[in-house]
Structures are given as structure tokens and as C-alpha cells.
Amino acid sequence: MASGSINWFKYSAPSNFYVLAGRIVPWAALLAVVLGVAGLYLSFFVAPTDFRQGEGYRIIFIHVPAAWMSMFIYLVMACWAAVGLVMNTRVSYMMVTALAPTGAMFTFIALWSGALWGKPMWGTWWVWDARLTSELILLFLYIGFMALQSSISDSRRADRAGALLILVGVVNIPIIYYSVKWWNTLHQGASISLNAAPTMALIMFWTLIVMTLACWAYTIAVVYARARCIVLERERNTTWVKELVGGKQHD
């Protein structure tokens, strides 16, 4: 390996990953606060009133980033699950476990904020619309994964069973994303696309981007902090954890 390059494979060892995650958490948390404050300021004080939906549209700055995160986090979980099954790396499974609660939280926020938005705009809190139903299935997948893991006492078996569930459920992600194109649904189409200009004011677009980056930074901070706790729990019988805990007790 060339001198000066980073050996990323060494972080597949829980002890090295624990140290790396500890360095990332404070910076990600700081970034989440800065971006979150900036995003909320843009959302409530800079973005203009929508000419059709009035002030009620501002929930989009919570709803859309949460919906994006609910899908992105599941895809990241699926990647870690695949790596875990193929390479049998313990850290991969720990990351899947650490990501699930945050993914479930964003999915719930997307559904809850969507209901709050839907009542004044559609006249109802909920309909069995393709987009809403597939998003609800995503929440069930997150909850099912966590329930499955907690029901199996052997962590290695729980990891493999959970990884298989995540990989099977990943088929739901394109269904969520393309549901508004495949079916004639009540849910509006995407305002932002990778291959087309946004159909909203530029300041609204950038406010969404800032809020999404804030959610990503928050996710990184929380997930890595949770992953450190999982590492300590699963590696509690190893020498390095005993030395680490013993050192803290002497501090």
C-alpha cells in the first residue's frame, strides 16, 4: 500500500472502529446543529409564502428530508447487511443495528408530517395511496427488523436473520420512489429530480438541501454514537474493552 494512504480495512476491527467513530461523532453533531439552525431560519424567515398552499406548505422542509432519509438509511442498511453476509464482518452488522432506530424515526416523522400536511390540502389525514402505503410498509420493515433482532438471543444468528430481512425488504424502496409515476395516486409527484430542474423557487430548493444535510449530519452523529455503545456491549468480554472500561473507572 502506498505511503500516506489510509488503510480503511483496519476499521473493520471493532476496536479501531470504536476510536474512529468517537472522532466523527462530535464533528457531525456540531455540523448538525449549525445546518439545523440555518435550515430552520431559512424555512421560517427566508423562504417565501407559497401562492397556492399559503404558510402550511412550510412543513415540506421537515416532511421531504424525513422521507428522503427514511429511504436513504434503509439503502445504507442494505449495503451494510450485504457486506456483513458476504464478508462476515462484525462491524457491518453493528452498523445495521445502529441505523435501524434512526431510520424508523425518520419514517414515522415522514408519515406524521404527511398527515398534518394532508389534512388541510387533501381534506383527510390518511388515504391508502400507493406512496403512503409503501412508506407505511417501510416503517413496518424497520420495526420488524428491530423486533426480529431482539427476539433472537444469539447475536450472530440475529444479525444474519436481520440482514436477510433487510435485503428482501429493499424492493420496497423503488416502489416508494416510483409509486407516484407507476400509479395514479393522490400524492403529488416529485418536485425535485436528478435529471430535471426543480419545479420550486430556488430558495425553497436550497432550504430543502440544507435541512437534508442537517438530517444527514444528525444521523451520522447519532448512529456512530449508538454503534460505539453496541461495540462495547458485544465486545465486553474482550481485553481491549476491559482495559478501556478499567481505565475509565480509574479516571
Side-chain angles (χ1 to χ4, degrees):
M1 181 171 293
S3 177
S5 62
I6 300 175
N7 181 12
W8 292 106
F9 288 104
K10 77 175 185 179
Y11 295 111
S12 62
S15 57
N16 294 330
F17 173 80
Y18 181 85
V19 175
L20 176 65
R23 293 172 180 167
I24 292 174
V25 168
W27 290 105
L30 176 63
L31 189 61
V33 171
V34 172
L35 289 171
V37 171
L40 289 174
Y41 176 77
L42 292 171
S43 301
F44 289 104
F45 300 106
V46 178
T49 303
D50 185 77
F51 73 97
R52 285 187 300 183
Q53 302 186 27
E55 299 293 344
Y57 93 97
R58 294 183 192 278
I59 202 168
I60 191 178
F61 299 122
I62 298 294
H63 174 73
V64 173
W68 285 346
M69 294 303 299
S70 70
M71 292 184 286
F72 292 161
I73 289 176
Y74 196 93
L75 290 176
V76 174
M77 286 177 64
C79 292
W80 280 116
V83 171
L85 287 173
V86 173
M87 303 183 71
N88 198 29
T89 51
R90 288 172 292 169
V91 169
S92 302
Y93 291 127
M94 294 176 190
M95 283 300 296
V96 176
T97 303
L99 281 160
T102 305
M105 181 198 72
F106 277 117
T107 308
F108 176 79
I109 291 175
L111 290 167
W112 170 73
S113 58
L116 290 181
W117 195 10
K119 179 61 177 175
M121 302 305 163
W122 298 343
T124 181
W125 300 101
W126 176 267
V127 292
W128 292 101
D129 171 272
R131 172 65 64 86
L132 275 65
T133 303
S134 52
E135 184 74 9
L136 180 62
I137 291 173
L138 181 62
L139 179 61
F140 292 156
L141 284 170
Y142 278 121
I143 295 174
F145 168 78
M146 291 185 285
L148 178 63
Q149 275 214 319
S150 62
S151 66
I152 302 175
S153 57
D154 185 336
S155 61
R156 302 292 288 183
R157 286 182 56 224
D159 286 338
R160 289 192 290 270
L164 288 174
L165 174 62
I166 291 298
L167 291 176
V168 170
V170 79
V171 69
N172 188 51
I173 299 302
I175 293 176
I176 296 174
Y177 185 78
Y178 290 107
S179 58
V180 291
K181 295 182 179 180
W182 290 345
W183 295 287
N184 182 22
T185 68
L186 185 60
H187 196 286
Q188 67 189 56
S191 301
I192 299 175
S193 172
L194 293 176
N195 52 10
T199 59
M200 61 176 61
L202 203 56
I203 184 60
M204 296 178 183
F205 168 76
W206 282 113
T207 301
L208 274 178
I209 297 301
V210 171
M211 289 295 288
T212 302
L213 292 176
C215 290
W216 261 118
Y218 165 82
T219 299
I220 292 170
V222 170
V223 168
Y224 274 102
R226 188 180 296 124
R228 277 165 57 87
C229 295
I230 295 171
V231 168
L232 289 181
E233 181 184 359
R234 294 193 178 188
E235 300 288 309
R236 60 184 178 277
N237 293 324
T238 59
T239 302
W240 74 270
V241 171
K242 291 178 179 177
E243 291 177 351
L244 177 69
V245 174
K248 287 184 177 179
Q249 288 175 344
H250 290 302
D251 289 341

